[in-house]
Amino acid sequence: MAFRPATPHPTAPRTSTTGSAARALDAPALDARIERLRSLAQVDPRLEGVLLYGSWTLGEADAHSDIEAYLYIGDEYVEGFDGREFLAGLAPLKLAYTNMYGILAVVFDDLMRGEFHLAPAEAGIAEVPSWRGTVHFPNPEAAVLLDRTGRLTEAARELAEHCPPEAAATAQRLAHELTNWTLMLAHVLRRGETARAHALLGTVVAPQQLQLCRLLRGSTAHWLTPSRALEQDLPAADRDRYTSTTCAARPQDVRAAARDSWQWSRDLATEAAARWGIAVPTGLHEEISALLNQG
């Protein structure tokens, strides 16, 4: 099932790339729900494996964290498996639906959120090693709540070593993405679509800026959600640059934020070029600056 269409491995879970312990920092309710999930899975013969992911496996969970897991269903049981019914055994459900990424999303009666991938065991477990470079399990055995055959634990162990993104190629791609999307932003602003430009800044441009910034700072933790723990992960100067790219959805504010955003993108690309020798289309960059400075 697809998780995020923009990630290198669409079915890979969102997770960070650092962490030292597979336990929550201060999340007794989450601890209890995970143990309940383990118990329910162990007595359900339809499940071959359960793989936890997210903040709990990294020792970063707190009272506001979700429960996130893959449920690997025996291939012969996939057709009739009712995920909602199974998860209702964890706690009463206030909401349960298949979200935009094809994941079973739930809200429990205590307002804890949950995201559960329902995957056929044979193909699903075989796919886990392909997440290498995207997902990191510091303690694979703790992430595996159920493994009837040993295959899931073996697959998860291949993700025990942190593999940061390849620097030069990733920086080149991000620099090109920022160029392309900022040109679109400039055209949208010229058309007078303030709300759309505002959305582009926050949802498309900013995440890629933060990834390039993290790459340059050697802080690739939380790579797939680069705004997570921003306040702890990045220097104050970078946080201030990010802040300058945010604004209210008012025409003048969005234009000013777009110009600040583009200048930060250019500065990051220039820094990456000096470090890794990536190509920077300076002429095109100047033309984009000119567009943003009009009006």
Side-chain angles (χ1 to χ4, degrees):
M1 287 187 180
F3 191 89
R4 290 288 187 271
T7 61
H9 302 291
T11 58
R14 288 172 299 143
T15 185
S16 79
T17 53
T18 60
S20 59
R23 62 178 181 81
L25 296 174
D26 183 20
L30 181 58
D31 288 341
R33 192 138 300 156
I34 286 168
E35 287 309 307
R36 176 65 176 162
L37 175 58
R38 189 195 308 272
S39 298
L40 285 177
Q42 286 174 342
V43 298
D44 192 325
R46 298 173 299 174
L47 292 175
E48 180 178 323
V50 175
L51 179 65
L52 202 69
Y53 66 93
S55 57
W56 191 90
T57 64
L58 302 164
E60 297 180 352
D62 59 22
H64 306 288
S65 296
D66 310 329
I67 179 171
E68 301 160 307
Y70 273 75
L71 306 182
Y72 291 107
I73 307 158
D75 289 22
E76 66 272 31
Y77 300 115
V78 170
E79 188 67 28
F81 187 83
D82 188 332
R84 293 170 177 80
E85 180 181 48
F86 175 80
L87 294 173
L90 292 181
L93 301 177
K94 285 184 176 290
L95 180 68
Y97 74 104
T98 300
N99 70 14
M100 69 180 87
Y101 304 110
I103 302 164
L104 179 55
V106 302
V107 175
F108 296 102
D109 62 340
D110 57 0
L111 300 186
M112 182 186 294
R113 295 178 60 256
E115 292 185 352
F116 297 87
H117 299 248
L118 310 181
E122 189 64 33
I125 293 174
E127 184 181 51
V128 171
S130 73
W131 300 344
R132 186 174 175 83
T134 304
V135 176
H136 176 215
F137 291 128
N139 187 340
E141 285 75 12
V144 176
L145 299 186
L146 173 71
D147 184 7
R148 298 196 192 279
T149 66
R151 294 193 307 131
L152 183 55
T153 302
E154 181 180 356
R157 283 175 179 157
E158 297 197 32
L159 307 179
E161 181 182 355
H162 171 40
C163 295
E166 197 285 312
T170 304
Q172 184 70 83
R173 178 184 61 78
L174 288 169
H176 285 338
E177 292 279 17
L178 290 169
T179 300
N180 178 53
W181 288 110
T182 304
L183 177 57
M184 179 178 180
L185 172 65
H187 284 304
V188 167
L189 279 171
R190 296 294 296 162
R191 187 184 289 138
E193 293 184 279
T194 300
R196 188 180 179 193
H198 182 267
L200 274 170
L201 274 172
T203 63
V204 179
V205 176
Q208 295 178 98
Q209 285 175 320
L210 289 174
Q211 284 189 328
L212 183 51
C213 185
R214 284 182 176 278
L215 197 65
L216 286 161
R217 305 296 172 255
S219 180
T220 55
H222 312 117
W223 179 254
L224 295 183
T225 310
S227 60
R228 181 172 180 176
L230 175 70
E231 295 78 6
Q232 291 77 45
D233 289 352
L234 293 178
D238 292 322
R239 299 197 303 268
D240 289 345
R241 294 299 296 272
Y242 169 74
T243 300
S244 74
T245 73
T246 65
C247 63
R250 293 186 289 262
Q252 288 302 118
D253 293 344
V254 174
R255 291 191 188 98
R259 289 191 289 268
D260 286 345
S261 170
W262 178 230
Q263 187 57 57
W264 190 32
S265 293
R266 295 192 69 179
D267 290 346
L268 290 169
T270 298
E271 187 177 347
R275 186 175 306 181
W276 297 304
I278 70 168
V280 176
T282 305
L284 175 57
H285 282 195
E286 290 295 340
E287 291 181 277
I288 294 172
S289 295
L291 272 179
L292 287 170
N293 286 325
Q294 292 175 13

